[in-house]
């Protein structure tokens, strides 16, 4: 293996895109490393989908505005396609937010307890269970709704795509949410294993630490 290839392999292992067997001991350790790798690849894939859909949406809207105000014309599918891209981007962003626990939350009660205490750990598990249930509902109901629409001949008016196509992001997002929640609940993924964000400073804990040092 060349030096360049070795650097690539090291980078991929560092970013969990290749299993690092040195960190894996026993069957559960190896299984967890494989699941973590699959999880990172899934999120890399949906990140690409979200990026492409956002860029395409902005480009189409900009092109439409130029045509309308500069040339007094337009394109028929310019409203329908961006709407589909908005839906796709929104659902992908939902899955990405679940991965790094970035969704809006009320943590007044959570911050009232010490870090690592049993009530905090219980609430963390409860959060993952609730997300798991929401993801399961989204995945199963989204798939069932798509299956019903596949049996009819409805199409979108401008693009001519089958009606069920616009609901594809629902079961995909639900599956990712379920997958992430299961990995967090089983301890395969840790809360500080972030992909889309940096670790935030817990200012409540910092304030408590300063208060304890001041009293000492």
């Amino acid at each position: 293996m060349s030096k360049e290839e070795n650097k690539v392999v090291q980078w991929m292992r560092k970013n969990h895109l290749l299993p690092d067997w040195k960190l894996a001991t026993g069957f559960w350790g190896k299984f967890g490393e494989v699941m973590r790798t699959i999880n990172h690849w899934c999120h890399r894939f949906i990140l690409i989908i979200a990026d492409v859909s956002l860029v395409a949406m902005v480009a189409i809207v900009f092109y439409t505005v130029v045509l309308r105000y500069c040339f007094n014309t337009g394109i028929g599918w310019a409203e329908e396609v961006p709407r589909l891209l908005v839906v796709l981007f929104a659902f992908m962003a939902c899955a990405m937010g679940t991965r790094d626990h970035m969704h809006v939350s009320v943590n007044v009660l959570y911050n009232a307890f010490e870090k690592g205490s049993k009530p905090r750990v219980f609430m963390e598990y409860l959060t993952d269970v609730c997300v798991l249930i929401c993801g399961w509902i989204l995945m199963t109901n989204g798939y069932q709704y798509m299956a019903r629409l596949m049996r009819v001949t409805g199409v979108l008016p401008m693009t001519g795509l089958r009606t069920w196509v616009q609901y594809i992001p629902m079961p995909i997002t639900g599956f990712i949410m379920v997958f992430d929640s299961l990995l967090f609940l089983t301890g395969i993924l840790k809360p500080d294993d972030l992909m889309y964000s940096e670790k935030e400073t817990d200012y409540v804990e910092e304030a408590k630490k300063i208060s304890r040092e001041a009293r000492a």
Side-chain angles (χ1 to χ4, degrees):
M1 182 181 293
S2 65
K3 187 176 181 180
E4 289 74 14
E5 289 177 330
N6 189 38
K7 288 183 178 179
V8 172
V9 171
Q10 290 178 357
W11 179 86
M12 293 185 72
R13 283 179 178 160
K14 182 180 179 181
N15 289 274
H16 301 294
L17 298 177
L18 279 179
D20 190 351
W21 302 120
K22 294 180 181 179
L23 302 176
T25 55
F27 172 78
W28 181 251
K30 293 180 180 179
F31 175 78
E33 194 64 25
V34 171
M35 289 296 101
R36 188 182 296 111
T37 302
I38 295 174
N39 179 264
H40 276 255
W41 275 109
C42 287
H43 279 277
R44 294 274 178 175
F45 180 66
I46 66 172
L47 177 61
I48 293 173
I49 294 176
D51 288 341
V52 171
S53 61
L54 180 61
V55 172
M57 177 179 58
V58 172
I60 292 171
V61 172
F62 177 77
Y63 181 57
T64 305
V65 171
V66 171
L67 288 179
R68 181 176 301 169
Y69 289 98
C70 296
F71 302 98
N72 197 28
T73 184
I75 45 181
W77 47 264
E79 181 179 350
E80 190 170 284
V81 172
R83 186 170 65 247
L84 295 174
L85 293 174
V86 167
V87 172
L88 177 61
F89 177 81
F91 275 99
M92 294 300 102
C94 179
M96 293 158 64
T98 301
R99 176 61 174 73
D100 281 7
H101 296 94
M102 294 189 296
H103 289 295
V104 177
S105 60
V106 179
N107 54 10
V108 175
L109 182 61
Y110 178 81
N111 289 333
F113 298 99
E114 293 291 334
K115 187 176 182 179
S117 61
K118 290 183 178 180
R120 266 205 179 192
V121 173
F122 171 76
M123 283 186 279
E124 290 169 358
Y125 275 103
L126 180 62
T127 299
D128 290 326
V129 169
C130 291
V131 173
L132 173 64
I133 294 172
C134 291
W136 180 261
I137 294 172
L138 188 63
M139 180 178 65
T140 55
N141 288 6
Y143 175 76
Q144 290 171 4
Y145 192 61
M146 281 178 54
R148 287 199 299 269
L149 290 176
M150 287 179 185
R151 294 193 288 268
V152 300
T153 58
V155 296
L156 299 176
M158 301 308 299
T159 59
L161 295 172
R162 295 286 299 276
T163 308
W164 61 268
V165 172
Q166 60 187 323
Y167 298 100
I168 291 177
M170 290 179 61
I172 294 176
T173 300
F175 171 78
I176 296 295
M177 292 173 65
V178 170
F179 188 29
D180 290 344
S181 300
L182 287 174
L183 294 187
F184 279 118
L185 287 170
T186 54
I188 294 175
L189 284 181
K190 305 298 181 182
D192 57 352
D193 183 6
L194 304 174
M195 286 193 65
Y196 307 108
S197 60
E198 298 291 335
K199 188 175 182 180
E200 295 183 0
T201 302
D202 191 338
Y203 292 103
V204 175
E205 287 297 325
E206 290 293 325
K208 291 179 180 179
K209 182 180 179 181
I210 294 174
S211 178
R212 287 194 297 267
E213 292 176 351
R215 288 196 299 267

